[in-house]
Amino acid sequence: MADVLWSFVADTQPQALATLSGQYGSAARDEFFRALREASRQMPLWMLLRNGLMVRGISFRLYYPRPRSAQSAAAPHYDRNRLAFRPNFRFGARHEEIDLVLFLNGLPIVLLELKHEAGAQGWNVHDAVAQYARRDHAQRIFQLPFLYIAADTSEVKVATDPRREENLRWFNTALVNQPMTPGEYPVEFLYREVLGKNRLLEALAFFLVHVPAREAEEGKPARPAFSIFPRYHQGRMVRRVAEAALARFVEHGDIGCKFLINHSAGSGKTLSICWLADRLHGLFKPGSDEKLVDRVIVLSDRKALDKNIRDELANFSHLKDVVGLARTSAELERFLKQQTSIIVTTQQKFAWLLERIEDDPQLKALRVAFLIDEAHRSQEGQMGVAIRLPFRDPQTPDGDDAVNDDATEEDEEDKLARIIREHDRNQLFVAFTATPSAATVQLFGAAFDNYTEAEAIEEGYIVDVAERIIAYKTLFHLHCPIARPDQTFPQGVLAKALLNVAFQDEELIQYKAEVMLRIFEEQVKPLIGGRAKAMIVATSRLAGLRYFEILQEKLRERGAGFKVLYAFSDFVHPVTGTTVTEYALNGLGAGELIEDRFEGDDYRLMVVANKFQTGFDQPLLAGMFLDKVVTDRNAVQTVSRLNRCHEEKRNVVVVDFTNNAARIIQAFAKYREGTPYAPTEPDQTQCVRLYREILDAEVFTQDNARSFAVLVAEGNDAAIQAEVQLLRLHFQAVVVEPEERRAFVHLLGRFVGSFRFLNCFFSYDYPLREFVDFAEMVGPQLIKAGTESELMKQVRATTVVRASVQEAGTLTRAAAGPRAKPRGGGGGGGSPPERVSIDDMLEKFRQQFPISEDEALFIRQVTEETARDTDIRATVLSHHGDPIFLGEVFRKQVKAMIQTRYVELGRYEELTDEKYTDDGAIFDIMAVTVIGQQAGAVHY
């Protein structure tokens, strides 16, 4: 094939070839191929193809990439690339055979071993993989191509290095490949798409990444250089987003659109973000030199992931001069002024960044693409507003700015508002998340691209970490000598505070630390060839500190031969008043990151407190001890720290000390096949209904809001607070019952929250917006009881008087209940949170924890959860005049719902206990209570 390459060079680069011939005459060809052989031993052949070959100071292109713009030097030569294939390719002294080799301009770029499941041999993709591993890899044909493909009629595996079977990884479109055309093979995508000329040259020019070698250092083994080829879903996502954004730009002249990328843990999300940033940065409008975007800004919510993105981007060597990592606002400002093309920063700077763009006319005119990692964390507060606002219809006027129906000329202020919103359409948002929340789905719509956890597990990219969980029950009895029965606090806040008291108890931590060490040494440490590590998730920084100190002492006493680290955000110790820093406590060196220290073989345990529960990749992590309650998405994200693959990693060990194992497994089932939430359109009338409900209560009027707005505009704080006091007294006179007061304040909060979300999609009349400002300022001040400081005073006086830890067995996924059904997102419903006195809460704990079944707690929990079900509320409302239906037919239905919930919680003993299941027993009483609460609300 040397003749093909020489012919390509002569055809496309005659001047360079003439210069070489002038120096070497008839030996020019020999000198060219000598330089090629030498260079190909120094670097991968694909890098020579991409960057060109230097021959005695003369630069030669070995191929021409697809031009990105009309001005590209490759534009006139792209079609001259020569792609050929040779079936039954023979090599070596023994004339061994490869099924198919693809050549680009005479150079081998792809090898294929193809098998058919039928016939006498019945070989499949696994046989093709084994065949690669058995080959003589000293042969150059197994060193030069950038892609090695093993395939049968239904499945595909690929690698950039075929020397080991483990290197060939799945490369399928989904869990099961489907033919694109009726009558074709399921792997039609391989020969129709992947091996097409444009796709192969795209991979060569854009997707392939070179990771340089790393020398051994302080416990980190040496790592040879290697090449990365994107997995199927990664390439698919990058192409789909780029094509959709470019199509919008061509059609509308703006890039104002949003995409939700629902890719599981283990999907290679960091690399996907980097590839997409590179692609968007290099896209041009077809037939022109006009770029699609002027800036690409990558937003991460964690410093650790910033490091991951930074490290991955460092391997995109062609981007080194256009990438800026902004750790501070000053750096971000500098990169904006320097017109840096790709900026990586944290989501905490997002609101500042958008304000900066909004205030600067030059920045405002730019087309900006935001790539947001873990989007579900960005939907609240200013960041959520910033993302939603550009997608309001720019043609919809605000209520008080609307022109008269007979107006024919646009008002100047309306025109200005419309122009600003049209500029907002210059912002493109791409949100990545493995566990999308309801709010995220409502904001971004259905996922634009999916790669589920089930796919990642099936393809061996992550370990199934929720197959089983070892459960321990932490039992304790609390006492508070200064508790006052007349003081009430929000139940959720109080419960969390008291749980922290229990989980920071010295004796409990001592006992659990011993259990953790025993399980680690017996079950975790031997994993991954004896190199496995474990993470201990503490409920607070103070509890984490005690775990760290106790584990340090225990490891010294045992002469364990390994160490423990503690990852946390710096804090002031509440007892000593001293500042505790991660840097000093762990003895980190200047600029050293704790995650880098943890890579050393001598560090096997890491205690974490509100850190590294997301975005932390450590393949040797095979054990997790949960001493902090984690639920729903947080549970999935936390336990998923264990799912990173290692060639010797077969299983993991998860131990829960929080009585929460069933819910953790249920959370994984909820998200395994993708988001459980169905996309819904925002309900424009929701906050209008809440507004009417507030006015109909006849507590406050629009006049109150109008008068209050005048005071706020004047800026006299004394006058404002005097008015608040009058409004508070009026409120207390009109609404007498404490529960009714709390319910009304909760209603005001729902109204404000609903408006803040929906106002980014829709416009509302001025009176409603005026009442929102009134409710937001006055609502939180209407009740002056049970402040946080009083709560913490009583919590700090609470002590553990009795405690124990009991093993509760191992819970498997099969026992954790069915997957939750998809449901819509958004909304602002729900009843006001119940408030209880600290004595009530302590009494509930006394009933719960001395009883191993924790019956009282679950009765309360399930009753309250069921009472909040909107379908039950609707049924009671529509049948409130039919006591026979409610008391007989519907009571049995509610009882069945309660029993189902007990199944989900893994409470099987109660389900077979007659005191629960008999007529008139506990389940019946719970059902009647639920219906009675709803019936009382209807009559009210």
Side-chain angles (χ1 to χ4, degrees):
M1 302 295 283
D3 290 342
V4 176
L5 177 58
W6 188 248
S7 175
F8 169 79
V9 171
D11 183 33
T12 59
Q13 301 153 86
Q15 291 182 344
L17 191 55
T19 302
L20 184 66
S21 298
Q23 296 178 11
Y24 288 91
S26 60
R29 173 173 169 144
D30 291 340
E31 183 62 21
F32 177 89
F33 282 101
R34 184 201 63 76
L36 177 61
R37 286 191 296 272
E38 183 177 322
S40 65
R41 288 184 169 87
Q42 303 299 318
M43 68 178 68
L45 176 61
W46 68 261
M47 293 186 70
L48 286 173
L49 280 159
R50 178 181 289 181
N51 301 324
L53 174 68
M54 294 297 295
V55 184
R56 298 297 182 178
I58 305 170
S59 177
F60 288 92
R61 300 300 302 266
L62 303 183
Y63 96 112
Y64 283 92
R66 191 170 188 173
R68 293 189 176 188
S69 73
Q71 308 302 318
S72 172
H77 299 301
Y78 178 72
D79 291 334
R80 298 189 184 184
N81 289 309
R82 302 171 186 180
L83 197 65
F85 67 90
R86 182 181 294 180
N88 306 316
F89 178 85
R90 296 187 180 276
F91 66 93
R94 297 166 52 188
H95 301 289
E96 295 181 67
E97 187 176 288
I98 298 171
D99 290 333
L100 193 67
V101 179
L102 272 66
F103 294 86
L104 173 62
N105 300 328
L107 297 172
I109 59 171
V110 179
L111 263 61
L112 292 93
E113 291 287 3
L114 306 173
K115 306 302 173 188
H116 198 294
E117 297 92 331
Q121 290 180 321
W123 284 4
N124 58 37
V125 64
H126 302 289
D127 296 298
V129 169
Q131 193 171 16
Y132 270 123
R134 291 195 302 268
R135 296 290 197 180
D136 178 7
H137 299 108
Q139 297 288 336
R140 293 289 283 164
I141 194 62
F142 295 106
Q143 299 172 6
L144 296 175
F146 66 75
L147 192 63
Y148 302 83
I149 301 175
D152 55 28
T153 65
S154 60
E155 294 181 299
V156 180
K157 283 191 167 188
V158 305
T160 58
D161 178 357
R163 288 176 294 177
R164 301 169 65 243
E165 290 190 26
E166 294 81 2
N167 290 355
L168 283 104
R169 308 305 298 269
W170 290 113
F171 191 80
N172 296 317
T173 61
L175 284 173
V176 178
N177 290 317
Q178 298 293 340
M180 301 160 57
T181 309
E184 290 284 352
Y185 292 112
V187 293
E188 182 183 5
F189 75 95
L190 175 63
Y191 51 87
R192 297 280 187 211
E193 293 182 349
V194 178
L195 297 179
K197 176 181 176 180
N198 288 342
R199 287 286 180 86
L200 285 174
L201 298 193
E202 174 192 53
L204 184 56
F206 174 76
F207 276 115
L208 282 163
V209 175
H210 176 69
V211 180
R214 181 186 69 192
E215 296 181 358
E217 54 181 28
E218 293 187 5
K220 298 178 187 177
R223 183 192 64 199
F226 61 95
S227 299
I228 299 176
F229 185 81
R231 289 148 62 179
Y232 185 84
H233 68 275
Q234 291 175 314
R236 177 188 63 202
M237 180 277 298
V238 170
R239 280 187 291 270
R240 290 187 66 207
V241 171
E243 290 167 1
L246 191 59
R248 179 179 179 89
F249 184 45
V250 170
E251 182 176 355
H252 299 285
D254 65 61
I255 60 170
C257 45
K258 55 190 188 298
F259 303 100
L260 176 61
I261 309 302
N262 185 190
H263 282 189
S264 160
S267 65
K269 181 155 51 71
T270 302
L271 259 176
S272 296
I273 291 173
C274 295
W275 269 312
L276 183 58
D278 187 11
R279 173 58 60 91
L280 293 176
H281 160 69
L283 272 183
F284 290 80
K285 189 175 182 179
S288 75
D289 58 354
E290 185 179 8
K291 291 191 69 173
L292 173 73
V293 299
D294 302 296
R295 299 284 186 279
V296 178
I297 299 178
V298 180
L299 297 162
S300 166
D301 69 338
R302 294 175 304 276
K303 293 179 181 179
L305 194 55
D306 291 338
K307 177 182 180 298
N308 292 345
I309 292 176
R310 181 195 65 204
D311 290 348
E312 294 289 7
L313 279 172
N315 295 323
F316 288 64
S317 56
H318 60 288
L319 296 177
K320 64 179 182 299
D321 296 328
V322 299
V323 174
L325 180 65
R327 300 176 183 84
T328 66
S329 296
E331 290 175 327
L332 186 53
E333 178 73 27
R334 175 164 55 86
F335 291 138
L336 290 172
K337 288 181 178 179
Q338 292 175 347
Q339 301 182 7
T340 303
S341 296
I342 300 175
I343 301 173
V344 182
T345 189
T346 61
Q347 290 181 1
Q348 286 71 26
K349 300 181 183 68
F350 191 24
W352 178 91
L353 176 60
L354 283 161
E355 289 177 5
R356 180 72 178 81
I357 293 174
E358 179 71 27
D359 294 339
D360 188 318
Q362 290 183 330
L363 293 177
K364 182 71 173 176
L366 298 178
R367 291 184 292 273
V368 181
F370 292 98
L371 311 186
I372 309 166
D373 179 66
E374 293 302 334
H376 61 269
R377 301 184 183 276
S378 309
Q379 303 320 308
E380 303 301 328
Q382 295 182 11
M383 286 189 286
V385 170
I387 296 171
R388 290 188 285 265
L389 186 58
F391 302 102
R392 278 178 52 170
D393 185 353
Q395 304 298 333
T396 302
D398 286 331
D400 55 340
D401 291 335
V403 295
N404 295 330
D405 292 341
D406 59 350
T408 58
E409 188 173 343
E410 186 177 30
D411 180 82
E412 286 299 315
E413 287 190 355
D414 290 343
K415 184 184 296 185
L416 180 61
R418 178 176 59 80
I419 292 172
I420 291 174
R421 288 178 182 172
E422 284 176 347
H423 278 297
D424 282 335
R425 293 285 179 164
N426 280 344
Q427 295 173 354
L428 163 69
F429 295 94
V430 185
F432 294 80
T433 178
T435 50
S437 68
T440 300
V441 173
Q442 185 174 58
L443 172 58
F444 286 90
F448 187 73
D449 196 85
N450 283 289
Y451 181 77
T452 67
E453 183 187 61
E455 290 179 82
I457 292 172
E458 181 68 22
E459 294 183 346
Y461 288 108
I462 60 173
V463 178
D464 188 352
V465 298
E467 185 65 34
R468 67 186 188 97
I469 295 179
I470 301 171
Y472 279 78
K473 288 186 177 182
T474 300
L475 312 177
F476 52 86
H477 185 140
L478 301 176
H479 173 66
C480 178
I482 64 171
R484 289 170 47 190
D486 61 324
Q487 273 195 310
T488 64
F489 306 94
Q491 178 174 331
V493 175
L494 182 55
K496 183 177 180 180
L498 290 175
L499 281 172
N500 276 344
V501 170
F503 281 77
Q504 288 171 184
D505 179 69
E506 179 81 13
E507 291 185 9
L508 272 176
I509 291 177
Q510 285 276 2
Y511 184 83
K512 284 186 281 190
E514 185 64 35
V515 173
M516 291 173 184
L517 274 180
R518 175 175 55 80
I519 295 176
F520 176 77
E521 291 176 336
E522 294 176 359
Q523 300 187 41
V524 180
K525 188 180 176 184
L527 300 176
I528 318 181
R531 298 177 61 202
K533 301 173 184 285
M535 176 181 286
I536 297 160
V537 182
T539 190
S540 67
R541 286 177 293 187
L542 198 59
L545 178 61
R546 290 303 298 134
Y547 266 117
F548 175 68
E549 294 169 341
I550 290 169
L551 287 169
Q552 271 192 321
E553 183 62 28
K554 289 181 178 293
L555 292 176
R556 278 195 296 267
E557 291 174 353
R558 299 179 184 204
F562 59 88
K563 305 174 187 177
V564 59
L565 292 168
Y566 180 26
F568 64 99
S569 299
D570 300 349
F571 69 101
V572 176
H573 197 289
V575 177
T576 64
T578 58
T579 299
V580 185
T581 69
E582 182 183 83
Y583 174 84
L585 194 68
N586 294 285
L588 299 177
E592 184 182 13
L593 298 175
I594 193 168
E595 55 266 40
D596 293 337
R597 173 74 67 87
F598 192 51
E599 288 190 13
D601 289 338
D602 50 342
Y603 288 94
R604 306 291 289 276
L605 297 174
M606 178 186 281
V607 181
V608 300
N610 295 322
K611 190 171 184 180
F612 293 149
Q613 288 179 237
T614 56
F616 178 65
D617 296 338
Q618 172 50 259
L620 294 177
L621 198 62
M624 179 170 288
F625 300 93
L626 292 165
D627 202 37
K628 174 184 178 179
V629 176
V630 290
T631 59
D632 202 67
R633 295 189 306 277
N634 191 25
V636 175
Q637 292 161 350
T638 300
V639 182
S640 290
R641 296 312 96 207
L642 301 179
N643 65 19
R644 272 43 182 182
C645 280
H646 186 281
E647 58 186 19
E648 298 181 60
K649 192 173 183 177
R650 299 293 178 266
N651 48 49
V652 298
V653 176
V654 182
V655 184
D656 175 65
F657 289 91
T658 66
N659 316 327
N660 196 45
R663 287 200 169 191
I664 294 172
I665 291 180
Q666 187 67 20
F668 274 89
K670 178 178 177 180
Y671 290 96
R672 179 141 293 183
E673 302 295 337
T675 175
Y677 302 105
T680 60
E681 288 297 321
D683 181 3
Q684 183 175 5
T685 65
Q686 183 191 69
C687 68
V688 177
R689 293 196 304 269
L690 293 172
Y691 173 55
R692 293 298 175 194
E693 185 178 348
I694 292 168
L695 293 180
D696 290 345
E698 298 183 346
V699 177
F700 298 118
T701 67
Q702 191 69 43
D703 288 339
N704 293 132
R706 189 174 301 114
S707 301
F708 193 78
V710 172
L711 289 175
V712 172
E714 293 173 353
N716 187 329
D717 184 64
I720 291 172
Q721 289 308 119
E723 181 65 16
V724 170
Q725 172 65 4
L726 293 175
L727 292 168
R728 185 187 300 117
L729 294 173
H730 170 73
F731 170 68
Q732 293 171 350
V734 174
V735 184
V736 179
E737 294 298 325
E739 288 301 321
E740 293 179 7
R741 290 177 181 174
R742 287 190 285 270
F744 185 79
V745 171
H746 181 71
L747 177 62
L748 292 177
R750 289 172 55 202
F751 169 57
V752 172
S754 174
F755 174 82
R756 293 299 178 214
F757 182 85
L758 295 170
N759 185 48
C760 300
F761 295 98
F762 310 110
S763 298
Y764 292 95
D765 292 336
Y766 178 77
L768 185 144
R769 303 207 308 273
E770 181 181 64
F771 207 92
V772 167
D773 295 335
F774 170 78
E776 190 167 32
M777 286 195 69
V778 174
Q781 302 184 64
L782 292 176
I783 299 176
K784 293 178 64 176
T787 65
E788 185 177 357
S789 59
E790 292 169 336
L791 165 65
M792 294 314 298
K793 181 180 179 181
Q794 296 187 35
V795 167
R796 291 191 185 103
T798 302
T799 57
V800 178
V801 296
R802 186 168 67 254
S804 68
V805 177
Q806 300 177 3
E807 186 172 1
T810 299
L811 188 66
T812 63
R813 184 184 300 116
R819 182 179 187 266
K821 295 181 180 179
R823 57 185 183 273
S831 58
E834 180 186 355
R835 296 172 67 91
V836 296
S837 72
I838 199 162
D839 272 342
D840 291 339
M841 181 62 73
L842 292 175
E843 180 60 28
K844 185 168 71 173
F845 279 155
R846 292 189 187 99
Q847 293 173 7
Q848 171 198 356
F849 291 104
I851 301 171
S852 61
E853 297 81 12
D854 305 330
E855 294 173 293
L857 175 64
F858 283 97
I859 290 171
R860 176 182 289 274
Q861 174 187 331
V862 175
T863 302
E864 291 176 348
E865 288 177 352
T866 310
R868 289 194 292 267
D869 191 291
T870 55
D871 291 336
I872 293 177
R873 184 177 306 170
T875 302
V876 173
L877 179 63
S878 60
H879 294 86
H880 68 274
D882 188 353
I884 295 178
F885 171 84
L886 294 177
E888 295 294 329
V889 178
F890 192 56
R891 173 182 57 80
K892 294 179 181 179
Q893 295 176 8
V894 175
K895 178 180 178 181
M897 293 173 64
I898 291 170
Q899 290 173 314
T900 299
R901 184 65 182 130
Y902 267 74
V903 172
E904 294 173 352
L905 294 171
R907 306 294 298 182
Y908 303 109
E909 294 180 11
E910 287 90 331
L911 291 167
T912 58
D913 191 336
E914 292 180 353
K915 71 180 180 182
Y916 279 82
T917 58
D918 282 353
D919 290 339
I922 292 176
F923 285 143
D924 262 335
I925 296 172
M926 292 169 69
V928 170
T929 302
V930 169
I931 295 171
Q933 289 181 357
Q934 300 301 334
V938 169
H939 290 306
Y940 171 79

